[in-house]
Amino acid sequence: MEPFKIHILGCGSALPTLRHNPSSQVVELRGKQFMIDCGEGTQTQMRRSRIGFNKIVAIFISHIHGDHCFGLIGMLSSFGLLGRTMPLAIYAPKDFKPVLDMLLATFCTDFDYEIQFHAVDTTKQQVVYEDRSLTVETIPLKHRVPTCGYLFREKPTLPHIRRDMIDFYGIPTSQINNIKNGASWTDEEGREVPNSRLTAPADPPRSYAYCSDTCYLPDLAARVSGVSCLYHESTYATPDIEKAQKYFHTTAAQAAQVARDAQVGRLLLGHYSSKYDNENVLLEEARQVFEASELSNEGMVVTL
């Protein structure tokens, strides 16, 4: 099974603290790396996590609040200083385009790589990126500005070859790909060996949903139903639910309700308010609703 990993670079909210950086993550699948959000300090966190700057294929920005994009222009500049030549795709709400253009014109005028901007519609769930390995969909969210999450879905893989059966029937290596794609085998005596005897089922496709920032949305569970892992903002604990409602954020218990109703594999909590010196209060209330809840933390690597 190819690695499918999520690198947590920042899981705090608007105010950086000595314990948490603003939002940023890197999703790694089959040798490619994709960044989600790029808060202040992301470059430093990439260094600490030993993530190669030139391996980032695309960057997905959820919304235009500083704690999700203040680190972007500095990182783009560093890409240029490091001699990047591979194009970089940026997916973000359309209103980010003039801001990005102004910053690039001011600070980054001599790049040797192309920046390809893709405006996303935050009101629709639709595929915005696709390659041979995966698709990335937008997830409509509700915040103070147009916001969407992103859903990474691994594409189905081919069945596993049963080496013992291949050896038993003396099947040449040249036929392996045909068998992986569904072919049977006819032995020297003309007897057909069905494909089901020569292969084992493929690994089930994995998926990861990133949802930050948003108020509680009961219908969100249907959009992320059955994902292997869900990252959902949990800015506040339930005693601060009025703040959550005022600023269009979610409590840890509400995030856990989404995870429970969606029947996800596991829940990662994040986007913590700086008011909490210890996020265990968030973890405890989430686990009362959905046991498979975890706290995200800088430097954490989640393997699906």
Side-chain angles (χ1 to χ4, degrees), residues 2-288:
E2 293 285 339
F4 191 154
K5 299 179 180 179
I6 299 98
H7 301 262
I8 307 297
L9 305 180
C11 56
S13 55
L15 288 176
T17 68
L18 294 177
R19 296 173 54 247
H20 294 301
N21 279 49
S23 296
S24 186
Q25 300 183 6
V26 168
V27 175
E28 177 184 349
L29 177 62
R30 301 189 197 176
K32 294 182 179 180
Q33 296 178 342
F34 306 87
M35 178 170 286
I36 317 174
D37 283 336
C38 189
E40 183 181 358
T42 293
Q43 291 188 76
T44 303
Q45 294 299 96
M46 289 177 68
R47 295 286 193 191
R48 287 177 175 149
S49 296
R50 300 184 183 277
I51 295 173
F53 279 48
N54 285 323
K55 289 187 177 181
I56 302 295
V57 174
I59 300 174
F60 298 86
I61 301 297
S62 61
H63 63 294
I64 314 174
H65 275 168
D67 55 323
H68 295 259
C69 60
F70 275 167
L72 181 59
I73 192 63
M75 191 174 68
L76 297 181
S77 178
S78 292
F79 285 173
L81 293 173
L82 291 169
R84 183 187 179 105
T85 58
M86 182 177 68
L88 176 70
I90 297 178
Y91 296 81
K94 63 180 181 179
D95 291 343
F96 189 54
K97 181 64 163 58
V99 177
L100 180 62
D101 287 344
M102 181 272 293
L103 291 171
L104 291 174
T106 303
F107 298 108
C108 308
T109 57
D110 56 352
F111 284 175
D112 291 326
Y113 70 97
E114 178 188 3
I115 293 177
Q116 303 166 340
F117 183 85
H118 302 268
V120 300
D121 186 341
T122 60
T123 67
K124 296 180 180 178
Q125 182 157 0
Q126 58 187 355
V127 173
V128 293
Y129 174 91
E130 182 173 11
D131 62 24
R132 291 188 299 175
S133 303
L134 84 161
T135 60
V136 183
E137 303 170 30
T138 49
I139 306 171
L141 301 175
K142 187 176 182 180
H143 194 42
R144 301 192 303 279
V145 297
T147 305
C148 67
Y150 293 99
L151 174 52
F152 292 73
R153 293 189 190 273
E154 181 182 32
K155 289 186 175 180
T157 56
L158 296 174
H160 297 289
I161 288 292
R162 290 190 56 185
R163 179 54 60 182
D164 57 338
M165 292 290 99
I166 297 300
D167 293 342
F168 179 80
Y169 289 106
I171 299 174
T173 303
S174 61
Q175 297 303 307
I176 295 296
N177 283 338
N178 292 335
I179 292 170
K180 278 191 171 186
N181 283 284
S184 298
W185 172 253
T186 302
D187 65 17
E188 294 179 353
E189 299 180 4
R191 292 174 299 191
E192 183 178 283
V193 182
N195 182 270
S196 58
R197 292 195 64 185
L198 304 174
T199 60
D203 297 315
R206 296 159 291 180
S207 51
Y208 175 63
Y210 173 91
C211 296
S212 181
D213 302 5
T214 184
C215 62
Y216 173 60
L217 297 173
D219 63 347
L220 181 58
R223 297 186 182 275
V224 299
S225 178
V227 299
S228 307
C229 183
L230 167 67
Y231 175 93
H232 195 296
E233 76 131 280
S234 53
T235 308
Y236 294 105
T238 297
D240 291 310
I241 193 170
E242 290 186 2
K243 285 187 177 180
Q245 293 170 341
K246 178 180 179 180
Y247 297 114
F248 287 78
H249 282 299
T250 308
T251 67
Q254 289 172 331
Q257 289 175 42
V258 173
R260 178 198 62 198
D261 296 345
Q263 297 183 324
V264 306
R266 59 201 289 195
L267 169 66
L268 299 179
L269 304 173
H271 200 266
Y272 316 122
S273 169
S274 59
K275 72 169 291 182
Y276 302 109
D277 293 327
N278 187 328
E279 290 84 30
N280 281 332
V281 62
L282 304 174
L283 180 61
E284 290 171 3
E285 77 169 40
R287 284 185 170 172
Q288 290 179 8

